């Protein structure tokens, strides 16, 4: 995949990401790719493959980190204190 995707490729990537994230929100809203003890829902595996194959690898890493951070922010807004977590 080119380092500089054209508009059509970017749009397809974002749509694949959005579908994958919607699946995660439905079947495993707290799924975190950085937590190796958690398994990805089977319902989302094909969407993950489409996301990974349709986006540059650096974008996939970025979007994975972004989702993890967004989940962390949501928990913080609800009163989560990471210093109290064991």
């Amino acid at each position: 995949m080119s380092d500089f995707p054209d508009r059509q490729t970017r749009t397809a990537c974002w749509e694949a990401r959005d579908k994958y994230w919607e699946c995660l929100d439905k079947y495993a809203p707290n799924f975190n790719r950085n937590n190796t003890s958690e398994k990805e829902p089977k319902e989302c595996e094909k969407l993950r493959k489409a996301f990974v194959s349709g986006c540059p690898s650096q974008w996939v890493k970025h979007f994975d980190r972004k989702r993890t951070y967004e989940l962390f922010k949501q928990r913080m807004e609800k009163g989560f204190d990471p210093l109290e977590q064991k």
Side-chain angles (χ1 to χ4, degrees):
M1 179 167 278
S2 170
D3 288 342
F4 302 103
D6 61 19
R7 177 180 288 188
Q8 183 178 2
T9 304
R10 289 190 309 265
T11 301
C13 170
W14 296 329
E15 288 175 359
R17 174 206 58 195
D18 292 346
K19 288 178 184 176
Y20 174 62
W21 283 7
E22 286 174 12
C23 183
L24 289 179
D25 289 343
K26 182 176 180 180
Y27 293 103
N30 296 317
F31 178 73
N32 178 351
R33 292 207 69 79
N34 297 327
N35 184 350
T36 56
S37 66
E38 267 186 286
K39 291 207 177 229
E40 182 173 51
K42 288 195 181 288
E43 296 86 355
C44 303
E45 289 175 354
K46 287 182 182 178
L47 294 171
R48 173 72 185 181
K49 288 178 184 176
F51 168 49
V52 170
S53 68
C55 297
S57 62
Q58 289 300 317
W59 288 25
V60 172
K61 289 178 192 176
H62 167 76
F63 290 139
D64 284 343
R65 280 184 255 149
K66 179 178 173 67
R67 185 171 191 283
T68 299
Y69 179 67
E70 292 298 324
L71 291 172
F72 177 77
K73 281 189 353 184
Q74 289 173 8
R75 290 175 66 198
M76 291 292 288
E77 289 171 356
K78 293 177 183 175
F80 171 72
D81 186 350
L83 297 177
E84 292 180 4
Q85 184 184 22
K86 290 186 178 187

